[in-house]
Amino acid sequence: MPEPSVLAFASVAVFLGALVQGSLGVGLALVSAPVVQIAAPSLMPGSLLLVAAVLAALGAVREISHTDWYGVSWAMAGRIVGTVAASYVILVVSVPTLDLLSAGITLGVVSLLAFDPARLPRNRGTLIASGAVAGLTGTTSSIGGPFIALVYHREPGPTVRGTLSVFYTAGTLLSLGSLTVVGRLPSHQLAFGAMLLPAVVAGFALSGPVRRRVDGGGRMRGAVLVLAVIAAVVLLVRGLVAIVTG
């Protein structure tokens, strides 16, 4: 198991990530994945997938009445395809290559939406596609949220959080199961993830007052786009660093 200092840093990152995701519906992996990846790469992605599953379940319980079940059903169809593909891709394609590809896709979509929000309609095709990308990157790097969040960037805050929470709950459990099947989910990753759960609960509990401020004044759309850009930058830097140092 990692040193106590690693657990402390990871707990702080997870706490902040849970606070962000509890407020916006996405953000846990963006804040915590780089910290855990740098401090203890052998604990990725299983530890954060377990944390993400618990946080998503908490969010789903809190705002399930606002869930877009039509959207979840089609996005999950895509997620299943992406997760199955990830189980194979992770064996033959390097994670840095996937990071760079995901970063490019995200920045491209955000660029379109910044100039013309209507360029990404919420329909069956975009839901399946975003779910598939989320399944692929979520399984390989634990960062899959921004893709499906972009499809809902024009929706009210409760709809975004409720829908994404249900999607993440099912999706992260699917990813954990997939990694187990291919033998890429060692027990020490799950043990470390369990040690981070108190930080998750604390961050989620404090997100209540913050989400009410985010929902006002049309701030949800801007926050989702900003988080998507941050996700792309994280993936881009991580991919380039891995290639250069590898």
Side-chain angles (χ1 to χ4, degrees), residues 17 33 46 56 63 78 81 104 114 116 147-148 161 185 194 222 243 246:
E63 298 191 89
V81 174
D116 186 1
F147 304 100
I148 187 68
R161 289 188 297 269
L185 187 64
I243 291 175

Side-chain angles (χ1 to χ4, degrees), residues 25-50:
V26 62
L28 172 68
L30 303 186
V31 178
S32 56
V35 174
V36 179
Q37 182 69 39
I38 293 171
S42 64
L43 299 174
M44 290 286 287
S47 60
L48 282 192
L49 283 173
L50 175 62

